[in-house]
Amino acid sequence: MTRPRVHVLALGGTIAMTGPGGHHITPRLGAEELVRAVPGLTDVAEVTSEQLRQVPSTALTLTDLLAAARRVRSALDAGADGVVITQGTDTLEESAFALDLLLDPGAPVVVTGAMRSPDAAGPDGPANLLAAAQTAASHAAHGLGVLVVLDEQVHAASTVRKVRSFGPGAFVSPDTGPVGWVVEGRFHPRTVPAGVRTVPEPDEDRLAATVVGVLPVHLGDDPRAVVAAGGLGYAGLVVDSLGAGHVPPSFVEPLAELARIMPVVLASRTGGGPVHTETYAYPGSETELLAKGLLPAGWLDTRKARVLLTLLLAAGVPREEIGAWFTPAHVA
Ligand code: ASP
């Protein structure tokens, strides 16, 4: 029987990091070494591999992800049945979502990494890479958009987030749970992602030049950063707001001013649930901010909203169309 073909694209991260005595680790293992370290991987699929970057994920950019999306397409065009991308976990939830937005849903594309380095007692990288390949080789993963596989859990790129700085079990999808699991070597879907969006592909130079700022908001905060944001050359701003989409009263006018010159998206810092649109009506509440021209992020958290807004602006999507990408009917 012919095995499915899975292409592994390596970008670096802890999964590839070694160092003296397991300390001071940096990315060193290449794509082929990662593949060779996984027992049973060649039983699952005919695996090819390629090194695209060799960096901690904090050094990745959206243009790297655009390059990765193009490599994914080439690998699929060349006959791969699925693609696995390995990278650092710190920004994995953003990378996976960027790929999800850039690629048409179709053949499985799976992002994975590791919380423990290859030198650790019980590294999770090989197990994660095996489960990712099993998912990428699965017909059941077709059309679900980009998936994230760690700890035998399979998450949608649009919902997953890293919620702990150490140890396996650091990734969850707070609102939905995983879309499935890898059990006995096979991907078992249990639900389908609520909606998969594909954005127009931006030009590389324009993407590199498009900077979307993020504004954190806290108890008793002062709005001087909002005022400053207007002069920083941002193409847009995402507000990491309180609760269901709220800011201190003193933020309202500076945010309204910003929303006149750039798209300003209102997301929630809570880590779960959508920003509201019609519940509260006090100064700094979501209804007031939306009336002043801010756009609700829907179910997207701040990190994912920033990725979406950056890609839309870099692709030249007209301002009046931007809001609909955050709350399209099928994902609202
Ligand atoms: N700092 C590492 C990175 O994101 C963490 C990891 O890979 O888990 O590259």
Side-chain angles (χ1 to χ4, degrees):
M1 217 177 80
T2 57
R3 291 167 298 165
R5 290 210 257 165
V6 171
H7 188 63
V8 175
L9 209 55
L11 303 180
T14 295
I15 193 168
M17 290 193 195
T18 62
H23 300 291
H24 298 281
I25 61 175
T26 54
R28 287 194 172 91
L29 300 185
E32 272 181 44
E33 289 169 289
L34 293 185
V35 165
R36 251 187 277 123
V38 182
L41 184 57
T42 49
D43 299 334
V44 171
E46 193 183 313
V47 179
T48 50
S49 64
E50 171 186 357
Q51 193 76 40
L52 189 61
R53 299 283 184 273
Q54 184 62 300
V55 293
S57 70
T58 44
L60 288 173
T61 64
L62 283 174
T63 49
D64 291 326
L65 275 311
L66 179 58
R70 290 175 177 163
R71 287 302 307 143
V72 168
R73 275 190 219 116
S74 311
L76 296 173
D77 288 347
D81 296 295
V83 177
V84 173
I85 294 153
T86 62
Q87 72 149 86
T89 61
D90 289 353
T91 61
L92 194 151
E93 67 207 66
E94 288 155 89
S95 302
F97 187 51
L99 292 166
D100 192 44
L101 292 169
L102 289 166
L103 294 164
D104 288 325
V109 177
V110 180
V111 187
T112 192
M115 293 296 293
R116 295 184 183 143
S117 71
D119 295 330
D124 53 336
N128 287 343
L129 185 46
L130 181 62
Q134 286 160 338
T135 306
S138 167
H139 286 299
H142 269 253
L144 298 183
V146 171
L147 299 170
V148 169
V149 174
L150 293 112
D151 311 319
E152 277 97 38
Q153 298 188 12
V154 181
H155 294 272
S158 58
T159 59
V160 72
R161 68 189 310 191
K162 185 177 182 180
V163 296
R164 197 169 301 109
S165 61
F166 73 99
F171 283 80
V172 301
S173 290
D175 293 314
T176 58
V179 294
W181 305 81
V182 179
V183 185
E184 296 184 315
R186 273 196 308 281
F187 169 49
H188 293 244
R190 304 297 297 147
T191 180
V192 285
V196 180
R197 294 165 253 225
T198 308
V199 299
E201 182 158 317
D203 159 76
E204 201 176 304
D205 293 336
R206 192 154 171 196
L207 180 57
T210 303
V211 180
V212 167
V214 171
L215 180 83
V217 183
H218 298 97
L219 167 77
D221 220 346
D222 173 289
R224 74 188 76 180
V226 190
V227 177
L232 295 178
Y234 290 147
L237 187 80
V238 180
V239 183
D240 193 34
S241 71
L242 307 168
H246 308 142
V247 296
S250 60
F251 279 52
V252 175
E253 277 320 312
L255 280 174
E257 185 62 34
L258 270 189
R260 281 192 272 278
I261 56 174
M262 66 179 76
V264 179
V265 172
L266 189 64
S268 169
R269 72 171 192 172
T270 58
V275 285
H276 289 11
T277 57
E278 54 186 12
T279 300
Y280 296 98
Y282 50 78
S285 65
E286 84 283 1
T287 59
E288 190 184 28
L289 294 170
L290 300 181
K292 302 253 181 214
L294 278 74
L295 306 168
W299 285 86
L300 295 181
D301 66 18
T302 302
R303 304 155 193 188
K304 298 199 197 277
R306 177 184 157 275
V307 170
L308 176 57
L309 183 57
T310 307
L311 292 176
L312 293 173
L313 289 168
V317 170
R319 183 151 178 198
E320 60 278 12
E321 291 175 19
I322 284 176
W325 284 89
F326 285 86
T327 51
H330 65 293
V331 293

